[in-house]
Amino acid sequence: EAEVAQSPRYKITEKSQAVAFWCDPISGHATLYWYRQILGQGPELLVQFQDESVVDDSQLPKDRFSAERLKGVDSTLKIQPAELGDSAMYLCASSPNTGITGELFFGEGSRLTVL
Amino acid sequence: TQLLEQSPQFLSIQEGENLTVYCNSSSVFSSLQWYRQEPGEGPVLLVTVVTGGEVKKLKRLTFQFGDARKDSSLHITAAQPGDTGLYLCAGAKAGGFKTIFGAGTRLFVKA
């Protein structure tokens, strides 16, 4: 069964360091999402791509976060510099359509701890 | 601002009991999804409802979409320890791209 792949699963870093997360969506899925989930809360959308284009990054803290999906397939989310408040689970999801039905397929997530 | 409110936030019950969790909003959604998430894992899609008043059943789970497409409920019959997890509802607006999530209901089923 096709899955969304994410790496690394776990990352521990010190504040002010740079961090990068990678996501490979299900093959053929045009829409890719990065969500952040703080412990005890629901996922919060950071950025959404349609193919290689950003369609929503209104909640992405652009002073320190960046995301790209250069060839419209896999994607990288970067944080530089990391802050203590960035500790969270970073979830990647993909969808086979333009988001009309809202069905998302998630990876296992990347858990970030900033010390 | 869209907001999906889930209740209760936390539920601890004995194996065999029935339960209902709720997802409410003041906004109309074109579709609503329910996900289940286990600790340290990503959410897994359980069901999508798209029609007002729609009822879907998945074994012991019954999902209902409100007539006005603003709310939904999840009913579990004869809960089992394997049902333990975080249940998230998520809504998508018609023609839009953004899917928003509620904060979830954390369910713990004791054997």
Side-chain angles (χ1 to χ4, degrees):
Chain A
E1 184 175 325
E3 295 181 344
V4 175
Q6 286 190 249
S7 67
R9 284 294 309 274
Y10 305 95
K11 178 69 177 179
I12 300 174
T13 191
E14 294 184 343
K15 63 180 181 179
S16 80
Q17 296 299 304
V19 180
F21 303 110
W22 176 80
C23 172
D24 191 12
I26 294 172
S27 178
H29 282 197
T31 310
L32 184 147
Y33 312 77
W34 283 101
Y35 280 85
R36 176 171 61 186
Q37 185 176 27
I38 296 171
L39 194 63
Q41 299 182 18
E44 173 195 22
L45 181 67
L46 292 175
V47 62
Q48 180 175 341
F49 291 91
Q50 179 69 22
D51 298 311
E52 67 277 7
S53 299
V54 173
V55 295
D56 189 342
D57 63 356
S58 57
Q59 299 302 310
L60 187 71
K62 299 181 187 63
D63 57 334
R64 297 185 300 108
F65 286 64
S66 63
E68 61 183 15
R69 193 185 184 197
L70 293 177
K71 297 183 179 180
V73 181
D74 60 339
S75 175
T76 302
L77 176 70
K78 296 179 181 178
I79 308 174
Q80 183 174 16
E83 296 182 352
L84 296 177
D86 296 332
S87 293
M89 174 78 90
Y90 290 84
L91 294 164
C92 178
S94 68
S95 176
N97 52 36
T98 57
I100 294 174
T101 63
E103 293 187 336
L104 307 182
F105 298 86
F106 284 88
E108 294 183 311
S110 295
R111 179 162 293 284
L112 173 66
T113 300
V114 182
L115 303 176
Chain B
T1 302
Q2 302 175 25
L3 184 65
L4 279 168
E5 294 187 355
Q6 292 191 242
S7 61
Q9 290 183 314
F10 182 80
L11 190 57
S12 180
I13 61 171
Q14 289 291 138
E15 182 177 4
E17 292 183 0
N18 302 332
L19 67 116
T20 302
V21 298
Y22 301 92
C23 176
N24 295 293
S25 176
S26 58
S27 298
V28 175
F29 293 98
S30 62
S31 69
L32 193 140
Q33 287 76 38
W34 284 93
Y35 295 81
R36 179 168 163 267
Q37 184 178 24
E38 297 192 23
E41 303 292 332
V44 176
L45 179 67
L46 295 175
V47 76
T48 293
V49 287
V50 295
T51 305
E54 180 178 5
V55 177
K56 281 191 173 180
K57 292 190 176 182
L58 185 67
K59 296 183 180 179
R60 295 176 294 100
L61 278 61
T62 301
F63 305 86
Q64 184 163 6
F65 203 11
D67 291 340
R69 289 186 289 132
K70 293 182 179 181
D71 54 84
S72 181
S73 63
L74 159 60
H75 181 79
I76 301 178
T77 303
Q80 300 177 0
D83 295 327
T84 293
L86 179 67
Y87 288 83
L88 294 160
C89 69
K93 295 195 84 174
F97 295 95
K98 192 171 183 176
T99 295
I100 63 166
F101 283 81
T105 292
R106 187 164 298 280
L107 173 65
F108 182 67
V109 182
K110 293 174 284 189

